[in-house]
Amino acid sequence: MKKIFKRLLRLLGVKLGVALVCTAVFCFANSATALAAMPRQTGGLVVSPSQLSFTISNESQDISSSITITNQYNREVSLQATLQGIDESSLSLIPKGSLEGGLRDSLTVGEAEMRVPPHGVYQLQVQLRDPSALAPGGHYASLVITEQSNAAMAASAVRPAVAISIFVVKSDGLRTDMRLQAIKTNQGLLGLPSNVKIAFFNGGNAHIVPRASVMVLTKDGTEVAKGIVNDTSR
């Protein structure tokens, strides 16, 4: 019985091994077929600058600035440019909904739809018309450039898009009012704090970028540690 059982095991092992090899070859063949059906796309879109800033006054005339779009693909791309508002309540620069306020009538783009040839460059103009009519303070928008569907894209593909933040500040009537609202550290009974959280309140009518430093001093005024607030804005 033992000899018969061993023979069965050997026989089963050989069959199982063959089955595994066949499965692996089948998967590899399927992968190769899938890769052949979906050619790899190389290149991309480069958009610069990443943001536009306009500083205006009551005497300002129409102003324009350009966005450079570079097509690094080996194919032509069709693009669409739309102006959108931003979610100011959440303190983010994420595009949200249609453009509102004074910028709705003042801010325009040169072309809403454009085609950029392979490895070509396109200059998209952004115009601010009649800026003197805007209210004092800050106005914000987002320019969203989206690639349109084409034959090289799968039906379910996600269309690439990029957003450029637009800041418009009217200096006449500009009001700044930044206050320190709260400060909290992680200092324990022993040791120095390693983290400080600071809340600022902006009571003005334009955006602000807080810049400050936090220092830890001994009783005699000797500095033993220092940190920078919002160090990415330096």
Coordinates of all heavy atoms in Angstrom, one line a residue, residues 17 32 34-35 51 55-56 60 64 67 90 92 105 116 122 131 148 158 160 163 169 177 184 193 197 202 204 214 229:
G17 N 2.3 20.0 -11.1 CA 3.4 20.9 -11.6 C 3.1 21.3 -13.0 O 3.3 22.4 -13.4
A32 N 0.6 39.7 -22.2 CA 1.2 40.2 -23.4 C 0.2 40.7 -24.4 O 0.4 41.7 -25.0 CB 2.1 39.1 -24.0
A34 N -2.8 41.9 -23.6 CA -3.3 43.1 -23.1 C -2.4 44.3 -23.4 O -2.9 45.4 -23.8 CB -3.6 43.0 -21.6
L35 N -1.1 44.1 -23.2 CA -0.2 45.2 -23.5 C -0.1 45.6 -25.0 O 0.0 46.7 -25.3 CB 1.2 44.8 -23.0 CG 1.4 44.7 -21.5 CD1 2.8 44.1 -21.1 CD2 1.3 46.1 -20.9
Q51 N 0.6 79.7 -11.3 CA -0.4 80.7 -10.8 C -0.1 82.1 -11.4 O 1.0 82.4 -11.9 CB -0.3 80.9 -9.3 CG 0.9 81.5 -8.7 CD 0.9 81.7 -7.2 OE1 0.4 80.9 -6.5 NE2 1.3 82.9 -6.7
T55 N -2.0 92.8 -9.7 CA -2.2 93.9 -8.7 C -2.7 95.1 -9.5 O -2.0 95.6 -10.4 CB -0.9 94.2 -8.0 OG1 -0.4 93.0 -7.3 CG2 -1.1 95.3 -6.9
I56 N -3.8 95.6 -9.1 CA -4.5 96.7 -9.9 C -4.8 97.8 -9.0 O -4.8 97.7 -7.7 CB -5.7 96.2 -10.6 CG1 -6.7 95.7 -9.5 CG2 -5.4 95.1 -11.6 CD1 -8.1 95.2 -10.1
S60 N -6.0 101.4 -13.3 CA -5.5 100.4 -14.1 C -6.3 100.2 -15.4 O -7.5 100.3 -15.4 CB -5.5 99.0 -13.3 OG -4.6 99.1 -12.3
S64 N -3.3 91.7 -19.5 CA -3.3 90.4 -20.0 C -2.0 89.7 -19.5 O -0.9 90.3 -19.3 CB -3.4 90.3 -21.5 OG -2.3 90.9 -22.1
I67 N -0.3 82.0 -20.4 CA 0.0 80.7 -19.9 C 0.7 79.8 -21.0 O 0.2 79.8 -22.1 CB -1.3 80.0 -19.4 CG1 -1.9 80.7 -18.2 CG2 -1.0 78.5 -19.0 CD1 -1.2 80.7 -16.9
S90 N -13.3 77.1 2.7 CA -12.5 76.0 3.3 C -11.0 76.3 3.2 O -10.1 75.5 3.5 CB -12.7 74.7 2.5 OG -12.3 74.8 1.1
S92 N -9.1 76.7 0.7 CA -8.4 75.9 -0.3 C -8.4 76.6 -1.6 O -9.2 77.5 -1.8 CB -9.0 74.5 -0.4 OG -10.3 74.6 -0.9
D105 N -17.4 89.1 -14.9 CA -17.5 90.0 -16.1 C -16.1 90.5 -16.5 O -16.0 91.0 -17.6 CB -18.4 91.1 -15.8 CG -19.8 90.7 -15.4 OD1 -20.3 89.7 -16.0 OD2 -20.4 91.3 -14.5
V116 N -3.0 71.5 -29.7 CA -1.6 71.7 -29.6 C -0.9 70.5 -30.3 O -1.2 69.3 -30.0 CB -1.1 71.7 -28.2 CG1 0.4 72.1 -28.1 CG2 -1.9 72.7 -27.4
Y122 N 1.9 76.2 -26.9 CA 0.7 77.1 -27.1 C 0.7 78.1 -26.1 O 0.9 77.8 -24.9 CB -0.6 76.3 -27.1 CG -1.8 77.1 -27.5 CD1 -2.2 77.1 -28.9 CD2 -2.5 77.8 -26.6 CE1 -3.4 77.8 -29.3 CE2 -3.6 78.6 -27.0 CZ -4.1 78.5 -28.3 OH -5.1 79.3 -28.7
P131 N -10.4 96.5 -15.0 CA -10.1 96.1 -13.6 C -10.5 97.2 -12.6 O -10.7 96.9 -11.4 CB -8.6 95.9 -13.6 CG -8.1 96.7 -14.8 CD -9.2 96.6 -15.8
Q148 N -9.3 66.9 -23.9 CA -10.5 66.3 -24.4 C -10.3 64.9 -24.9 O -9.2 64.5 -25.2 CB -11.1 67.2 -25.5 CG -11.4 68.6 -25.1 CD -12.4 68.7 -24.0 OE1 -13.6 68.4 -24.2 NE2 -11.9 69.0 -22.8
V158 N -9.5 58.4 -17.6 CA -9.7 59.7 -16.9 C -9.0 60.8 -17.7 O -7.8 60.6 -18.0 CB -9.1 59.6 -15.5 CG1 -9.2 61.0 -14.8 CG2 -9.8 58.6 -14.7
P160 N -6.9 64.0 -18.3 CA -6.0 64.8 -17.5 C -6.4 66.2 -17.4 O -7.0 66.8 -18.4 CB -4.6 64.7 -18.3 CG -4.8 63.5 -19.1 CD -6.2 63.4 -19.5
A163 N -5.0 72.8 -12.9 CA -5.6 74.1 -12.5 C -4.6 75.1 -12.1 O -3.6 74.8 -11.5 CB -6.5 73.8 -11.2
V169 N -5.6 91.4 -6.8 CA -5.7 92.3 -5.6 C -5.8 93.7 -6.1 O -4.9 94.2 -6.8 CB -4.4 92.1 -4.7 CG1 -4.5 93.0 -3.5 CG2 -4.4 90.6 -4.2
D177 N -5.8 93.0 8.2 CA -6.1 92.9 9.6 C -5.9 91.5 10.0 O -6.8 90.7 10.1 CB -7.6 93.3 9.9 CG -7.9 93.2 11.3 OD1 -7.0 93.2 12.2 OD2 -9.2 93.2 11.6
K184 N -1.0 76.7 20.5 CA -1.0 75.5 21.3 C 0.3 74.7 21.0 O 0.7 74.6 19.9 CB -2.2 74.6 20.9 CG -2.3 73.4 21.7 CD -3.6 72.6 21.3 CE -3.7 71.3 22.1 NZ -4.9 70.5 21.7
P193 N 9.1 71.8 23.8 CA 8.0 71.5 22.8 C 8.7 71.2 21.4 O 9.6 71.8 21.0 CB 7.1 72.7 22.8 CG 8.0 73.8 23.2 CD 9.0 73.2 24.2
K197 N 1.2 74.8 17.2 CA 0.1 75.1 16.3 C -0.5 76.5 16.5 O -0.8 76.8 17.7 CB -1.1 74.1 16.5 CG -0.7 72.7 16.0 CD -1.8 71.7 16.2 CE -1.5 70.3 15.7 NZ -2.6 69.4 15.8
N202 N -7.9 86.4 9.7 CA -7.8 87.5 8.7 C -9.1 88.3 8.7 O -10.1 87.8 8.1 CB -7.5 86.8 7.3 CG -7.3 87.9 6.2 OD1 -7.2 89.1 6.5 ND2 -7.4 87.4 5.0
G204 N -9.2 91.2 7.1 CA -9.1 92.1 6.0 C -9.9 91.7 4.8 O -10.7 90.8 4.9
V214 N 8.9 81.1 15.8 CA 8.6 80.7 17.2 C 9.9 80.4 17.9 O 10.7 79.6 17.4 CB 7.7 79.5 17.3 CG1 7.4 79.1 18.7 CG2 6.3 79.9 16.6
V229 N 7.3 79.6 11.1 CA 5.9 79.4 10.8 C 5.7 79.5 9.3 O 6.2 80.5 8.7 CB 5.0 80.5 11.5 CG1 3.6 80.3 11.1 CG2 5.2 80.3 13.0

